[in-house]
Amino acid sequence: MSLELSKKAQAVKPSSTLAITAKAKELRAQGIDVVGFGAGEPDFNTPEHICSAAVKALEEGYTKYTPASGSVELREAISRKFKEFNGLDYKPSQIVVSNGGKHSLTNVFTAILNPGDEVIIPAPYWLSYPEMVKLADGVPVYVYASEENGFKATAQEIAQAVTPKTKALVLNSPSNPTGMIYTRQELQAIANLAVEKDFYVVADEMYEYLTYDGEEHVSIASLGDEIYRRTITCSGLSKGYAMTGWRIGYTGSTEEIAKLMGAVQSHQTSNINSIAQKAAIEALNGPQESVGEMRDEFNKRRTYMVKRLSEMKELSVREPKGAFYVFVNTEGALEKKYKGEKVGDTTRLAEILINDYHVAVVPCQDFGFPTYIRLSYAISMEQIEKGLDWIGSFLSALEA
């Protein structure tokens, strides 16, 4: 056949995080003990009261279509959450519930971008942002943040990337992959810039419940009427409630943008799973103790992992303040040799670790920082201890 397939689809990079996860699963299926630091999801089960709400929904026959943007009851629950947790006034008509955080973001970019519009993406970034922007006919523009500033782009750095074609800025706090959090002052400076230069802020706050050391999570849309109108606030239940497989993401925005996203979703997927919506209502309205318990356990793992990694002289690490990742600079290891050959880059480092030491890590070329790897502490302490021991063994085998 001579029919040409979509150039846009062919240009999409496969997710390296999913590739690492798949390799780890393949080895486990062969009976090999593998420690997977690639996990982008909590290792906890969804809390029982949330699962019970889903069972009840099934028993009561709640298995039909709902409004495309989510049931009124769920959007009311999200509206209350926005008010109480984020300090944001979004009416139910301003909320769109989608099939997970990725779907929410693709809806956003589809709704706001025209061909050639530029979207500023601070690096390090979650590897899906650029692909989502390109699929919506936008152009990613990268701003590389310094480690000295905690991998956070300043308003001044962002300003240098603004052009007449700038349509939006992606702002992820707490950050995947660094775990860093933008302060209120940093966000205010960025908000002032967005208002002055008149561009949207796509605020990805998926890890908003997971902050440590007394750090404050601040929603940039809460910093004034002008930035509120220019912000699309994105979140979901995956990380804070251990509900990754339920696929529940949501956005708060102006009614104009919400209507556009709802219209797009009505043709692409219609509503999200009706049973998951009932579970989401219970998650938001029901007991919240499990959220804090999971956060406390993540914090213990975070502290342990940072301490161990800091003692490995070929690696360097900054303590994350949120999410459940540690961003590790491997430059010292890359310069050394393994079995007579220079390690060279993090792709090879990750291959050595998975093949020879059965440890899965995420190389971060696709996150914009090629000498770094990402380690998740959304796995048990036992697994963390074992995995770090094996990484230590690899480092001990390196030669000058």
Side-chain angles (χ1 to χ4, degrees):
M1 292 177 64
S2 60
L3 296 175
E4 185 177 14
L5 298 177
S6 165
K7 292 179 180 177
K8 186 189 295 186
Q10 291 178 64
V12 174
K13 290 182 181 179
S15 169
S16 56
T17 56
L18 295 181
I20 287 292
T21 302
K23 177 66 174 179
K25 288 180 178 178
E26 178 187 327
L27 291 174
R28 287 193 187 103
Q30 297 171 15
I32 297 171
D33 185 14
V34 177
V35 174
F37 284 116
E41 62 179 348
D43 57 316
F44 306 104
N45 291 328
T46 303
E48 186 176 348
H49 66 100
I50 299 173
C51 295
S52 296
V55 172
K56 184 179 178 183
L58 279 169
E59 292 173 344
E60 294 179 351
Y62 193 75
T63 57
K64 310 297 183 184
Y65 291 130
T66 74
S69 295
S71 69
V72 173
E73 186 182 5
L74 176 52
R75 283 182 284 137
E76 286 175 344
I78 293 169
S79 178
R80 286 192 295 272
K81 176 265 175 186
F82 269 132
K83 178 67 174 176
E84 294 169 4
F85 185 84
N86 305 90
L88 292 169
D89 285 312
Y90 287 123
K91 295 181 292 186
S93 58
Q94 295 175 265
I95 292 165
V96 177
V97 188
S98 304
N99 295 281
K102 283 185 177 180
H103 188 203
S104 291
L105 288 163
T106 57
N107 278 346
V108 171
F109 294 128
T110 301
I112 67 173
L113 296 182
N114 290 306
D117 282 348
E118 293 177 352
V119 178
I120 298 172
I121 304 175
Y125 48 78
W126 180 42
L127 78 175
S128 290
Y129 293 140
E131 303 307 315
M132 293 173 173
V133 168
K134 288 184 282 188
L135 283 169
D137 294 323
V139 179
V141 175
Y142 305 109
V143 172
Y144 290 88
S146 69
E147 182 168 357
E148 291 70 31
N149 195 46
F151 302 108
K152 295 180 286 185
T154 66
Q156 291 81 3
E157 290 168 337
I158 294 166
Q160 293 174 4
V162 175
T163 75
K165 293 184 177 180
T166 301
K167 178 62 72 71
L169 163 73
V170 175
L171 191 67
N172 178 211
S173 180
S175 164
N176 172 10
T178 69
M180 297 306 177
I181 299 173
Y182 282 82
T183 66
R184 181 178 294 271
Q185 292 74 20
E186 290 166 338
L187 292 173
Q188 187 64 67
I190 294 170
N192 293 342
L193 177 67
V195 171
E196 177 193 346
K197 299 295 185 180
D198 197 22
F199 56 78
Y200 289 113
V201 175
V202 181
D204 183 355
E205 303 183 3
M206 182 60 77
Y207 295 90
E208 61 191 347
Y209 292 112
L210 301 177
T211 61
Y212 315 107
D213 296 337
E215 289 285 331
E216 176 189 29
H217 172 74
V218 179
S219 293
I220 192 170
S222 69
L223 299 180
D225 292 342
E226 290 293 330
I227 189 61
Y228 170 87
R229 289 194 287 270
R230 288 172 173 80
T231 301
I232 303 99
T233 306
C234 309
S235 191
L237 305 188
S238 294
K239 315 301 182 180
Y241 292 91
M243 295 179 70
T244 49
W246 299 79
R247 308 313 301 137
I248 304 156
Y250 57 82
T251 57
S253 65
T254 63
E255 288 203 7
E256 181 183 22
I257 293 174
K259 286 179 181 178
L260 291 177
M261 289 192 289
V264 168
Q265 182 164 303
S266 71
H267 290 291
Q268 291 185 333
T269 68
S270 191
N271 61 274
I272 73 164
N273 182 286
S274 60
I275 300 146
Q277 290 189 58
K278 284 291 190 181
I281 293 165
E282 175 61 24
L284 293 167
N285 292 347
Q288 300 297 304
E289 289 82 3
S290 60
V291 177
E293 290 168 0
M294 287 188 279
R295 181 175 59 244
D296 290 344
E297 180 59 30
F298 283 138
N299 189 31
K300 292 176 187 175
R301 300 172 186 178
R302 175 187 71 110
T303 302
Y304 175 80
M305 184 180 281
V306 169
K307 182 178 183 297
R308 285 286 307 275
L309 290 168
S310 298
E311 294 167 350
M312 298 179 184
K313 63 181 181 179
E314 291 85 1
L315 308 177
S316 65
V317 60
R318 291 179 70 93
E319 184 177 53
K321 298 298 182 180
F324 43 61
Y325 307 109
V326 181
F327 199 50
V328 184
N329 190 346
T330 66
E331 203 164 357
L334 299 181
E335 294 301 314
K336 295 196 172 183
K337 292 182 179 179
Y338 179 74
K339 294 183 178 178
E341 184 179 347
K342 185 177 178 180
V343 176
D345 60 47
T346 52
T347 298
R348 180 160 185 265
L349 183 147
E351 289 173 352
I352 293 168
L353 284 174
I354 190 69
N355 291 325
D356 292 6
Y357 294 88
H358 303 149
V359 178
V361 303
V362 176
C364 288
Q365 289 99 323
D366 292 344
F367 293 72
F369 272 58
T371 66
Y372 287 74
I373 59 174
R374 191 193 75 179
L375 303 183
S376 168
Y377 46 92
I379 59 175
S380 72
M381 186 67 84
E382 178 186 4
Q383 287 287 295
I384 290 171
E385 291 174 358
K386 184 193 299 182
L388 292 179
D389 286 345
W390 291 350
I391 289 175
S393 297
F394 159 69
L395 295 173
S396 297
L398 295 178
E399 305 163 350

